[in-house]
Amino acid sequence: WGARVGPNVCNCLVSSPFDVLSRSSPLAMSATMVNNSVLKCGNSTMARGRALATPSLPALRQAVNAKRMAHAGRVQTTMGATGKFVVGGNWKCNGTIDSVKQLVSALNAGSITADVEVICAPPMVHVGLVCGTLESPFQVAVQNCWDGPGGAFTGEVSAEMIADAGIPWVIIGHSERRTLCGETSELVAKKVKYAIDHGLNVMACIGETLAEREAGRTMEVCYSQLAPIAAALTENDWSHVVIAYEPVWAIGTGKVATPAQAQDVHAGVRGWLNNNVSPAVASATRIQYGGSVNAGNCEELASQPDIDGFLVGGASLNGPDFITICNAARMSVVA
């Protein structure tokens, strides 16, 4: 995955199978400006008419899936995923124009030497700025989307709008939205399905509270959050999903699950996928750990066989620390 693809593609190196989709589809290109005629990515522009001449989204996805399975360079022991280690940075509701510019500058100046897919999720108001200045290999995500088409839904953003703006990823079901905004697992599943159907890749979040963990209900809660998603998706849909396990009690608290605790949950989630979706989905689906991941604990966590990446909160706001976390991918189990 280092070749440029297609005559009508942005002048960007392809660093992962998902980049083929995100950089060659008119629905999912890292865009800095969208109007009725032109899409712009970095220093390269292309007319929307030429973009539409690229292969259809289903065809691209079929090619991406085949190549991902054929070229995956990361093979876990036990039941670990076969995909590239994936790190997401969730900037949450943080940042000014100046601080975002400084963070992007620090990320661009960093050196990512590991074989890793990296996605940054700025607040919606800063997405345009980040898309216009953040360089490869970083991709961009938004932090939420609506569960259907656009319309009279004040404050929401639809999957179609996100795709049209060239954003390839969305975070759905974060515990802060479940607890603060009342999102149910059924609503999360509806959002996941709608986003995938309209060209997006999803980081779908699950995780238990401290009370649920202390009651011995960790896996019960995680399974109950996964079940509606599994019921909503086709098997092919899962190639556009990354599961993010984030124990609620460890998010922003400074507490972190031990590597053994995180590994146990990840292995349980993969076993659930094996038994309730398919062995192929269990093998291919990447499972991130989130919950006070930082530059000091990332390598030990990354060495666990069923931890396929991270979804990072506070530490993603520090450029050098986030680069260190991304490079922890080198500690993952490699064939």
Side-chain angles (χ1 to χ4, degrees), residues 104-178:
V104 168
S105 178
L107 293 174
N108 288 341
S111 176
I112 295 181
T113 57
D115 185 25
V116 59
E117 185 170 13
V118 188
I119 306 145
C120 293
M124 191 67 70
V125 71
H126 296 310
V127 166
L129 170 61
V130 173
C131 281
T133 54
L134 192 61
E135 299 171 358
S136 178
F138 299 100
Q139 299 177 68
V140 177
V142 296
Q143 299 174 15
N144 179 48
C145 72
W146 186 233
D147 64 354
F153 307 110
T154 301
E156 290 292 345
V157 60
S158 71
E160 293 94 332
M161 295 166 69
I162 297 165
D164 184 58
I167 312 301
W169 285 90
V170 59
I171 299 170
I172 296 179
H174 193 280
S175 65
E176 289 156 3
R177 294 203 58 85
R178 291 177 185 263

Side-chain angles (χ1 to χ4, degrees), residues 230-242:
L233 301 186
T234 68
E235 183 154 342
N236 287 338
D237 287 338
W238 282 96
S239 62
H240 308 290
V241 176
V242 170

Side-chain angles (χ1 to χ4, degrees), residues 17-18 21 57-58 60-66 68-69 83 117 169 196 200-202 233-243 277 280-282 284-286:
F18 286 112
L21 174 62
L57 183 59
L60 281 168
R61 282 182 163 170
Q62 184 176 7
V64 166
N65 293 340
R68 179 172 184 261
M69 296 308 294
E117 185 170 13
W169 285 90
I196 292 170
L200 301 180
N201 301 302
V202 176
L233 301 186
T234 68
E235 183 154 342
N236 287 338
D237 287 338
W238 282 96
S239 62
H240 308 290
V241 176
V242 170
I243 296 172
V277 183
V281 166
T285 300
R286 295 174 291 177

Side-chain angles (χ1 to χ4, degrees), residues 1 14-17 71-75 82-87 112-118 137 286 308 326-332 334:
W1 294 100
V14 177
S15 60
S16 78
H71 293 281
R74 180 172 183 268
V75 180
T82 54
K84 181 180 288 191
F85 202 88
V86 55
V87 176
I112 295 181
T113 57
D115 185 25
V116 59
E117 185 170 13
V118 188
R286 295 174 291 177
D308 309 309
C326 292
N327 283 328
R330 68 180 182 273
M331 303 300 295
S332 62
V334 179

